Amino acid sequence: MDYLKCVESFVTTVTRGSFTAAAETLGITPAMVGKHVRELELRTGCQLLHRTTRRQGLTDAGQRFYQYGLQILATVRDADGLASELYENVAGLLRISAPVAWGNRVLTPILSRFLQHYPGVNAEMVLSDRKVSLIEERFQLAIRIGAINDDGSVAIPLPPYRMLLAASPDYLARHGVPGSPDELKHHHCVSFSQWRSDHRWQLEGPSGTQEIAIAPRLMVDSGEALRQAALSGLGIVQHAFITLQRDIDAGRLCRVLPEWLPPPRPMHLLRLPGRPLQPLVASFTDHLLRELKADQQ
């Protein structure tokens, strides 16, 4: 039983005065209109229409249900109108997740400019270095660094996340400057726990790719904690350009093995599959990709 069709058939029959007139309005047969009304009567347990060979009229229950039916159909029309508005206008709430460092340095100004352009949009940006669930945590979009497991999300490639090695001048003065990747084995290292659990750093340089086993003094799941550990002189850190470049420019940190770089990590913008794509999500995706492309030029 399609409840809404039954309600619509009943209300239209009352409004137009007969099954035949209702059928013309709804584009179905009079027999189908009669079937819908009978199914509605079975569901409610009440006779809604008096029927004779010449005419039909409302029972007391039918009169009351007719008012409810008008409200039901009006509510459905309002809901359809709201859904249509959401899919036709760039408006509403955008929930997006991103890693902390990238979100602070890159996403925040891009999102701010988007909000200035679309006054009907509000945003909630959640910065976290963990992998969030779009469905369970109700995010429309998420920035993900690293390999994407096939979780059913649509993954849009972004510019890679570039990495480097660095340490504080104080640490290098106390422990020496490594001259080759192999020497990292003898240094204190600070590692991001969510990237690799086997304590191996992969580096690309003049002689190809090397993978070095390190013994981390500290493993941590926060990018800012990595930066602070390096600034405090704990050891050599592998981290992102966008996080450490200002400290390097200011002399608070020094590049280590600058000719050897960790391979850039892939980045993606994730969204849930589905069509049609909400204009708010589509517009921000286009805005983000356009701004990231402009930054690379």
Side-chain angles (χ1 to χ4, degrees):
M1 173 187 179
D2 188 324
Y3 183 66
L4 285 179
K5 285 185 177 179
C6 292
V7 172
E8 185 179 37
S9 293
F10 170 70
V11 169
T12 307
T13 296
V14 175
T15 303
R16 295 297 310 277
S18 68
F19 288 166
T20 300
E24 292 176 356
T25 300
L26 298 175
I28 57 179
T29 65
M32 183 58 68
V33 174
K35 179 182 177 182
H36 287 162
V37 172
R38 287 191 296 274
E39 288 179 346
L40 189 61
E41 288 178 326
L42 288 173
R43 179 185 174 103
T44 60
C46 300
Q47 183 179 356
L48 303 177
L49 291 174
H50 290 302
R51 303 176 185 83
T52 66
T53 55
R54 293 187 175 184
R55 58 183 298 180
Q56 60 191 24
L58 286 172
T59 65
D60 290 341
Q63 182 64 51
R64 293 183 62 185
F65 192 86
Y66 176 65
Q67 300 302 320
Y68 286 125
L70 291 173
Q71 295 176 23
I72 291 169
L73 297 178
T75 300
V76 170
R77 285 194 297 271
D78 290 345
D80 288 343
L82 174 61
S84 175
E85 179 181 345
L86 288 174
Y87 279 95
E88 292 174 359
N89 300 321
V90 180
L93 176 65
L94 177 68
R95 266 179 62 81
I96 182 169
S97 168
V100 176
W102 197 89
N104 281 324
R105 300 289 176 86
V106 180
L107 182 59
T108 297
I110 290 176
L111 180 58
S112 297
R113 288 189 287 271
F114 180 79
L115 294 176
Q116 292 172 28
H117 187 72
Y118 292 103
V121 176
N122 294 321
E124 182 178 352
M125 181 171 60
V126 176
L127 301 183
S128 173
D129 290 326
R130 67 180 179 84
K131 294 181 180 180
V132 302
S133 169
L134 273 71
I135 294 177
E136 294 179 2
E137 300 178 61
R138 301 180 65 185
F139 286 106
Q140 290 131 305
L141 296 169
I143 307 296
R144 184 72 52 80
I145 299 174
I148 299 296
N149 297 323
D150 186 9
D151 60 357
S153 300
V154 176
I156 302 169
L158 300 178
Y161 196 65
R162 297 187 302 143
M163 312 282 289
L164 55 78
L165 301 181
S168 70
D170 174 65
Y171 172 84
L172 296 174
R174 287 185 287 113
H175 297 275
V177 179
S180 69
D182 281 336
E183 294 183 27
L184 291 173
K185 300 174 183 177
H186 309 295
H187 278 268
H188 299 170
C189 295
V190 183
S191 186
F192 190 54
S193 60
Q194 294 192 31
W195 286 344
R196 292 190 64 159
S197 60
D198 58 1
H199 311 320
R200 302 184 71 86
W201 283 358
Q202 189 178 58
L203 299 173
E204 297 175 347
S207 58
T209 300
Q210 292 193 31
E211 196 165 79
I212 309 300
I214 62 166
R217 291 295 310 281
L218 173 66
M219 293 190 66
V220 66
D221 65 353
S222 164
E224 179 58 23
L226 284 178
R227 172 177 171 267
Q228 291 297 334
L231 289 171
S232 70
L234 179 60
I236 298 173
V237 66
Q238 178 183 193
H239 211 341
F241 268 87
I242 61 170
T243 301
L244 301 185
Q245 191 60 58
R246 293 178 185 177
D247 295 317
I248 292 171
D249 293 342
R252 294 185 292 269
L253 293 176
C254 300
R255 292 283 300 273
V256 172
L257 298 173
E259 70 278 13
W260 290 90
L261 293 175
R265 298 181 63 79
M267 285 189 64
H268 294 85
L269 175 67
L270 302 186
R271 66 169 175 83
L272 294 175
R275 288 290 187 271
L277 186 60
Q278 186 180 352
L280 172 56
V281 174
S283 295
F284 181 74
T285 299
D286 292 342
H287 174 81
L288 176 66
L289 296 176
R290 187 168 55 251
E291 293 235 355
L292 291 177
K293 182 178 180 180
D295 289 341
Q296 291 187 308
Q297 294 176 348

